[in-house]
């Protein structure tokens, strides 16, 4: 990050110096006396400040634009791909999943076994199992089959949103899995 600041300061300084030289060249080209050091320093300071403000505003606007585009990618109905990854990435912040947990959830939703996930991620099977436990705890789901079913239902729901935007039904509202326990018939 410090390299970016150093590069930005150098770039602003170079641009301010060029502006100063251009103004001095055209303003004092026909003057008999050379401009004083105070005039040169003042012009450079003025151009440095103006260029720095413009660069700061441009960078903050660009950063805001990038964040907005990322949010639009994950927002429903905003030309997002209808995929299992999208469902997990949409729900991961609500569930409080870490990036590693979201990755494991995506692999589970795609049908990979714990050992396959561990091999692909370069981690131990026990790590994958503990991450799955945290995923189930945070999401309110109880098993990989509920996770797969939830993701599948959400993908179908997203596909329906694209076809019929007026009839939006969230799977969580229609089939709440949180707090649902198996009832034993005696």
């Amino acid at each position: 990050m410090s390299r970016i600041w150093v590069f930005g300061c150098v770039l602003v300084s170079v641009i301010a110096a060029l502006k100063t030289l251009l103004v001095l060249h055209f303003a004092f080209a026909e003057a008999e006396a050379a401009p004083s050091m105070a005039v040169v320093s003042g012009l450079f300071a003025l151009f440095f400040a103006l260029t720095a403000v413009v660069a700061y505003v441009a960078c903050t606007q660009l950063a805001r634009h990038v964040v907005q585009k990322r949010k639009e990618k994950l927002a429903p109905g905003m030309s997002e791909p209808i995929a299992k990854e999208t469902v997990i990435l949409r729900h991961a912040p609500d569930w409080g999943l870490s990036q590693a947990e979201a990755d494991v959830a995506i692999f589970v939703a795609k049908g990979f076994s714990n050992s396959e996930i561990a091999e692909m991620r370069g981690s131990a099977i026990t790590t994958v199992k503990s991450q799955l436990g945290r995923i189930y705890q945070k999401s309110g789901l109880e098993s990989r089959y509920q996770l797969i079913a939830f993701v599948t239902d959400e993908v179908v729901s997203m596909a329906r949103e694209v076809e019929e935007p007026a009839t939006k039904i969230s799977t969580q509202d229609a089939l709440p899995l949180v707090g649902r326990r198996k009832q034993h018939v005696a």
Side-chain angles (χ1 to χ4, degrees):
M1 185 62 146
S2 62
R3 285 190 302 177
I4 294 172
W5 282 104
V6 170
F7 178 74
C9 287
V10 168
L11 187 63
V12 167
S13 297
V14 167
I15 292 171
L18 288 174
K19 290 177 181 179
T20 304
L21 289 174
L22 284 173
V23 168
L24 290 174
H25 174 71
F26 289 113
F28 294 99
E30 296 180 16
E32 295 172 9
S36 69
M37 201 58 181
V39 171
V40 173
S41 299
L43 281 174
F44 179 78
L46 173 71
F47 288 132
F48 184 87
L50 290 174
T51 306
V53 168
V54 169
Y56 175 77
V57 169
C59 287
T60 56
Q61 292 297 321
L62 179 64
R64 221 179 266 145
H65 177 72
V66 168
V67 168
Q68 181 64 30
K69 288 297 177 185
R70 273 194 200 131
K71 285 181 181 178
E72 286 177 3
K73 276 186 171 181
L74 298 178
M78 297 298 288
S79 71
E80 66 183 357
I82 300 175
K84 295 174 182 177
E85 296 92 338
T86 306
V87 172
I88 297 295
L89 293 175
R90 279 176 55 188
H91 287 86
D94 297 335
W95 292 341
L97 298 182
S98 67
Q99 183 62 49
E101 291 166 345
D103 292 343
V104 169
I106 289 170
F107 287 133
V108 167
K110 288 185 170 196
F112 291 104
S113 69
N114 290 354
S115 60
E116 290 171 324
I117 295 170
E119 184 180 325
M120 285 186 285
R121 299 194 73 239
S123 62
I125 294 176
T126 55
T127 303
V128 173
K129 286 181 180 179
S130 67
Q131 288 171 329
L132 275 173
R134 288 193 301 272
I135 291 167
Y136 301 146
Q137 181 183 16
K138 292 176 179 181
S139 68
L141 303 171
E142 295 178 7
S143 68
R144 74 186 316 115
Y145 303 110
Q146 281 188 350
L147 178 62
I148 292 169
F150 175 80
V151 170
T152 303
D153 288 346
E154 286 293 312
V155 168
V156 170
S157 177
M158 287 170 63
R160 286 188 181 142
E161 286 177 19
V162 171
E163 293 172 8
E164 306 167 18
T167 59
K168 180 183 176 192
I169 299 174
S170 172
T171 305
Q172 281 184 315
D173 296 335
L175 300 170
L177 298 173
V178 177
R180 184 193 248 186
R181 299 283 181 222
K182 296 177 185 172
Q183 296 177 354
H184 298 287
V185 179

